Amino acid sequence: MKDEITREERVDNLKGMGCSRKRVEDARFTQGKGNYVDDIKLDGMLFGDFVRSPYAHARIKNIDTAAALEVPGVLAVLTAADLEPLGLHWMPTLAGDKQMVLADGKALFQGQEVAFVVAEDRYAAADGIELVEVEYEELPVIVDPFEALKSDVVLREDLVGEDGAIPDGAHGPRKHPNHIFTWEAGDKDPTEEVIANAEVVAEESMYYHRTHPCPLETCGCVASMDKVNGKLTLWGTFQAPHAIRTVVSLISGIEEHNIRVISPDIGGGFGNKVGAYPGYVCSVVASIVTGKPVKWIEDRMDNLMTTAFARDYHMTGKISATKDGKITGLHCHVTADHGGFDACADPTKFPAGFMNICTGSYDIPTAYLEVDGVYTNKAPGGVSYRCSFRVTEAVYFIERMIEVLAIELNMDAAELRRINFIKKEQFPYTAALGWEYDSGDYHTAWDKALKTVDYDGLRAEQAQRVEDFKAGKTRKLMGIGLSFFTEIVGAGPVKNCDILGLGMFDSCEIRIHPTGSAIARLGTISQGQGHATTFAQILASEIGLPADSITIEEGDTDTAPYGLGTYGSRSTPVAGAATAMAGRKIRAKAQMIAAYLLEVHDNDVEFDVDRFVVKGAPEKFKTMKEIAFAAYNQAIPGIEPGLEAVSYYDPPNMTYPFGAYVCVMDIDVDTGVPEIRRFYALDDCGTRINPMIIEGQVHGGLTEALAVALGQEIAYDDMGNVKTGTLMDFFLPTAWEVPNYETDFTVTPSPHHPIGAKGVGESPHVGGVPCFSNAVQDAFRPFGNRHTNMPHDHWRIWRTANELGLHD
Ligand code: PCD
């Protein structure tokens, strides 16, 4: 057969790995043709909404629903008393705790769900909510976790025995009725000894404030129980649809094959949509009770005040080193505020997520971590928010400790990092707190970053600026923010990572159609990341069919193979690997078909871009398109018809992306306004699938990092009132606040991933937060600043300047 195009053109035609293929999903997103949960409209569909507690801690004496039921259009009002006979007034959380679906005798945080009003439309539901009369008796409120551990006020009476005994929790013994767990990693005594005898020790306490993922689309669902065929369909904003199906089955008793969970288009997840919320349970119950579909959609305040928050870690560290800066030990204690219920979304064996990656990118021989989880009168949650399970806390901690140590040593912070990095030849590297880093080349990345930004030049400029400031020539200071991070993404392996007992593998199922196009279904679910674009690229390179001929489908549990979903940047490391492996199974069968068609032995053909060729005779070949057709129309001895494959992939290890970030910032000392002059981000996510999507991911993650570092928080007053429950007070950055980002990369493939790829979606956030924060802190370093807590909003920056006497 005559070949009309070059090999290079054949490669280009596939739009496979490494191609900046345009996002196929954008055609519908940019034209308003997405299909989100609130777009779902079913015949006779009802609307449910919550009566919420105005108090952060209160006894519920009585609930009177009579007046609400009089409202035209209101059909039912559910309370805990209605759910109790069904055993559904409490539900299990992902962290092994249980949570009230509807307030059972008391409310533990402001905004807690107290009753569920079901009505013909959203307006009638709102009117009904106004008329539900709840008699509250206020109880003392605790919003500070340190106070919680000293207080006589018991928040979770359900977790204390009648004799006052404190039974163990899901993660072992508890020290106090408001204590949830103590979790340790590393060696306590040796670490303390190393630190006690060290030449230099730096100590610091820092608070990584509570914040919230705040996706553009809030959480919601539509539950539809079809009583005729006994099938429940649940559409929702779920980052883990299969896990939701299993949980719904376990708590409702409906058999799993009779539950169909569908995640349609999702308008951002960022960790907020991993867990299960009372709204899901109430909608399902309401649909069963009324026999009609029931929709529940949060408004913005509901979302910010009650669904999963992130961070809220009080961290205290000690880091020791020799006089010339070689780090010898690290000690970290965390007091973790989990709110009223422990609903953290972490793998079961990790109650503080992967906080034990807090030794960062450094070769630290001895380390110890201890985390105490504590109940307070705040909303439950504890999700990753653009970081793999608490990795942003860990990286913020170590990157601040490095800066503080640099001050203690009177040393340049870039140099201090360089002399302590894990060296290229040390990988795979086992860290003191147990993780085995798969691959890395930190020195190369760091040198490239510092060279690109002209680090020495920047430091000289900064020194001049300090002189000028002291001489009264300027009121602006200059900060150089540095950060180097190592992420840990791609949970599994099944042997140590599970959620509610479900091992964290992932999956891909491919079906090649006779004409050489295909559909692949995965256990993950895109929330904007562009999976339909990128997973088709992996397959295009693996099976030699153009990405444009491959449909990617996710999010329907009736059709997709079981998977654990999308969060913790696990899709590329786990489902991406499953995709490559399933592709290779297709290729293996295609090879046999090609050999048959070419009348040679299987071993005499080899894969080349989009075809199998006879070794040594490149003019003899069968394209994958031809092979696909043959799979369906030729009776090939010993080979089943069809061309399909499935792979369930249990990764042997996680992947460890890394990066080097530099932020140059000018700060107006009199207004506290920071201006980001330059932001350089070098990311290494191993083999790159789609450089354009990676760049978009980096821009998004950095913008969320800017938000968190410079102003975004969920703040409470002493009464437990949420002070930042609307977008008037909760900082959501827009194009106005966002600088131009410079992106760069190195490529250090993962040695165990089939295509060498590591995750990237979270990296920019993980590395970005300490980088922005370090820039602010660095600007004030010449004037005696050691550490100030985030968020660095204008007022707090101004206050720092003021405290340092810069307004005098
Ligand atoms: N990639 C490429 N290459 C490489 C890697 C990666 O290309 N090497 C691409 C992929 O394919 C996709 C992306 O990129 O598409 C991403 O990826 P990853 O990293 O794997 O991740 P995923 O899993 O997919 O996702 C997840 C993430 C997270 S986690 C978050 S937060 C966020 C991020 O993602 N989210 C979001 N991003 C994003 N974007 C959007 N648009 N939206 C959203 O929502 Mo968590 O845990 O949940 O907190």
Side-chain angles (χ1 to χ4, degrees), residues 288-450:
I288 294 172
V289 170
T290 61
K292 298 199 168 155
V294 176
K295 180 186 275 186
W296 164 72
I297 304 281
E298 290 174 334
D299 65 21
R300 182 58 60 192
M301 286 176 74
D302 296 339
N303 181 256
L304 284 172
M305 290 173 63
T306 69
T307 51
F309 73 93
R311 328 289 185 243
D312 217 342
Y313 262 30
H314 298 262
M315 307 183 280
T316 301
K318 283 185 209 151
I319 189 164
S320 63
T322 62
K323 284 199 295 284
D324 42 10
K326 184 78 195 80
I327 301 172
T328 54
L330 180 74
H331 188 289
C332 177
H333 182 272
V334 181
T335 300
D337 186 338
H338 286 214
F341 306 94
D342 186 7
C344 283
D346 295 310
T348 309
K349 298 188 186 74
F350 298 91
F354 302 155
M355 184 63 200
N356 58 336
I357 190 98
C358 65
T359 51
S361 314
Y362 311 103
D363 185 12
I364 303 181
T366 342
Y368 175 68
L369 165 74
E370 186 183 44
V371 184
D372 282 301
V374 183
Y375 290 120
T376 60
N377 291 120
K378 297 184 187 172
V383 290
S384 36
Y385 182 9
R386 207 149 194 158
C387 84
S388 184
F389 317 113
R390 303 285 184 182
V391 179
T392 176
E393 286 91 324
V395 171
Y396 183 73
F397 170 77
I398 184 67
E399 289 304 285
R400 285 302 304 142
M401 290 310 293
I402 290 280
E403 294 283 321
V404 172
L405 179 62
I407 294 172
E408 198 73 44
L409 288 160
N410 196 21
M411 198 171 166
D412 177 77
E415 183 57 18
L416 179 59
R417 285 180 174 84
R418 188 203 315 273
I419 62 178
N420 285 290
F421 281 144
I422 301 161
K423 296 189 191 69
K424 191 179 169 187
E425 55 277 14
Q426 285 175 281
F427 293 92
Y429 171 85
T430 305
L433 296 178
W435 297 111
E436 190 189 292
Y437 295 26
D438 62 345
S439 64
D441 182 356
Y442 300 166
H443 287 95
T444 302
W446 198 227
D447 291 345
K448 189 174 185 191
L450 298 185

Side-chain angles (χ1 to χ4, degrees), residues 514 593 597 624-636 641-642:
I593 298 172
L597 298 174
M624 283 300 293
K625 233 175 132 83
E626 292 169 316
I627 295 168
F629 200 67
Y632 290 89
N633 80 343
Q634 298 240 356
I636 304 175

Side-chain angles (χ1 to χ4, degrees), residues 17 23 213 215 239 266-274 311 383-389 489 524-535 537-538 565-574 684-694 696-697 700-701 704 755-763:
M17 293 283 304
R23 292 171 29 118
Q239 288 183 240
I266 297 182
F270 310 112
N272 187 234
K273 297 165 178 172
V274 174
R311 328 289 185 243
V383 290
S384 36
Y385 182 9
R386 207 149 194 158
C387 84
S388 184
F389 317 113
V489 300
T524 44
I525 174 73
S526 191
Q527 309 126 40
Q529 293 87 345
H531 292 174
T533 306
T534 53
F535 286 124
Q537 291 182 253
I538 298 179
T566 293
Y567 41 86
S569 264
R570 64 186 299 280
S571 305
T572 303
V574 194
D684 191 319
C685 55
T687 309
R688 291 150 51 89
I689 303 162
N690 183 322
M692 180 197 68
I693 285 195
I694 292 174
Q697 287 292 313
E704 287 184 311
I755 58 169
K758 302 180 177 185
V760 78
E762 305 173 321
S763 296

